[in-house]
Amino acid sequence: MDLGIQGKTALVMASSEGLGYAVARQLVAEGARVVMTSRSSEKIESAAANIRNEFSGAEILTFACDVSRAESLQQLFAFVEEKTGGADILVQNAGGPPAGDFQSMTEDSLWEKAFELTLMSFVRSVRLALPHMKRKQWGRIVAITSSSVKQPISNLVLSNVFRTGVVSLCKTLAADLAPEHILINAVGPGRIHTARIDYLDQIAAQRLGQSMETYQKEAQAKIPFGRYGTPEELAAVVAFLVSNANGYTTGQSLLIDGGLVTSL
Ligand SMILES: NC(=O)c1ccc[n+]([C@@H]2O[C@H](COP(=O)([O-])OP(=O)(O)OC[C@H]3O[C@@H](n4cnc5c(N)ncnc54)[C@H](OP(=O)(O)O)[C@@H]3O)[C@@H](O)[C@H]2O)c1
């Protein structure tokens, strides 16, 4: 299938590793010009260099941005506008908030930080992305959330609470933006093997007094596929959703979880 995104500009946030990196790589492979961002200029430049090595002629720009900070996002969008004219495609992503249950999240500041990182980063990014997409009368937005939007995950209260807000905003905006040919969706990963999963599994294994190896073996056995997913498997779905081949799917929250969540 021709995704029809050659020459389009895609802004992929939090893409120095993990899911964001895999999405950036996939969109480069499809011929898009990709702007990659993360907090560390060294990490993001090295990630971009890896992709450039793999795909000759790849058009990749990098910019260091902390998506939890309004000012940093404004600088990022000004950079994208100046260098490319604006992002046709926005893949909004960020690091996950810290693990913990309700009892452990006693400080308001922990909630406020997670609100800025997980929900406000999406609100602000969409706000900054829309003027260009409206001018072009074409746009695609995908937010990377979590399977927790359908089934809250134990010991991840901050993620559980704020990610549902992201999905709700996607659904709310989908109808408003459809007449302008701007499609907005969310994808919810469930156990896609990245550094974040290793971090969470380490915490869970310690709580249960298990080795990491035993914990991960048991965790994978609970997934119908019997294994964690790969970042490339998520990236393939995102690439379709942000493409021209997707002309009618909007306002959806799609889990990429190997069948882990059993709710409808
Ligand atoms: N993997 C899964 O199965 C899964 C499941 C549920 C939810 N999620 C969520 O999906 C998102 C991506 O997951 P992942 O597994 O790819 O995580 P990851 O391996 O921890 O990668 C996180 C990426 O985010 C960047 N980042 C972190 N904080 C940032 C910030 N404030 N501003 C800009 N960039 C930032 C990091 O780069 P720098 O360090 O260079 O900034 C890195 O590139 C996370 O929110 C995670 O919680 C993942």
Side-chain angles (χ1 to χ4, degrees):
M1 185 189 293
D2 178 7
L3 294 186
I5 55 172
Q6 294 88 344
K8 292 211 182 286
T9 297
L11 171 56
V12 185
M13 293 178 161
S15 49
S16 65
E17 59 182 308
L19 305 181
Y21 176 83
V23 170
R25 180 185 170 279
Q26 186 66 50
L27 297 184
V28 167
E30 298 297 336
R33 177 194 299 126
V34 176
V35 183
M36 296 175 67
T37 75
S38 80
R39 290 165 301 181
S40 154
S41 46
E42 272 173 31
K43 272 176 71 180
I44 201 65
E45 194 39 58
S46 148
N50 284 342
I51 299 178
R52 285 189 196 107
N53 283 341
E54 206 180 335
F55 300 96
S56 65
E59 266 195 89
I60 306 175
L61 299 167
T62 61
F63 192 85
C65 169
D66 180 343
V67 299
S68 68
R69 294 180 45 235
E71 195 191 3
S72 194
L73 278 176
Q74 274 162 3
Q75 289 164 354
L76 168 66
F77 277 84
F79 170 83
V80 175
E81 175 104 30
E82 185 198 328
K83 299 288 180 191
T84 73
D88 308 303
I89 292 166
L90 169 66
V91 179
Q92 204 278 332
N93 184 33
D101 62 9
F102 185 71
Q103 301 300 327
S104 64
M105 296 296 164
T106 49
E107 299 293 325
D108 283 358
S109 62
L110 290 169
W111 289 84
E112 285 156 9
K113 272 190 190 161
F115 168 71
E116 295 286 337
L117 177 69
T118 304
L119 182 55
M120 284 313 295
S121 66
F122 184 58
V123 171
R124 292 179 180 130
S125 300
V126 171
R127 197 189 277 147
L128 287 160
L130 282 181
H132 170 80
M133 293 179 181
K134 287 185 175 187
R135 267 196 307 276
K136 292 281 277 283
Q137 289 290 291
W138 194 96
R140 298 287 184 271
I141 300 171
V142 165
I144 297 184
T145 63
S146 167
S147 64
S148 68
V149 299
K150 303 269 188 193
Q151 182 177 313
I153 298 171
S154 163
N155 207 42
L156 277 180
V157 66
L158 295 175
S159 170
N160 294 342
V161 168
F162 293 113
R163 289 190 197 281
T164 50
V166 171
V167 167
S168 182
L169 182 57
C170 283
K171 192 57 145 180
T172 306
L173 287 175
D176 296 344
L177 297 176
E180 309 206 61
H181 313 286
I182 301 170
L183 279 55
I184 179 165
N185 293 286
V187 294
R191 312 259 90 196
I192 308 284
H193 202 178
T194 64
R196 168 80 176 171
I197 289 299
D198 285 339
Y199 155 78
L200 294 174
D201 285 355
Q202 193 68 57
I203 291 172
Q206 271 164 10
R207 276 160 58 100
L208 294 168
Q210 285 182 333
S211 70
M212 177 80 158
E213 195 187 2
T214 304
Y215 180 83
Q216 289 200 320
K217 205 171 154 198
E218 289 180 10
Q220 293 186 76
K222 289 179 191 149
I223 300 170
F225 275 86
R227 63 170 176 84
Y228 288 155
T230 67
E232 293 74 23
E233 286 169 328
L234 176 131
V237 178
V238 174
F240 168 73
L241 288 174
V242 300
S243 75
N244 211 24
N246 173 22
Y248 206 56
T249 299
T250 193
Q252 299 307 305
S253 173
L254 185 63
L255 297 194
I256 299 159
D257 71 342
L260 178 64
V261 171
T262 53
S263 67
L264 291 173

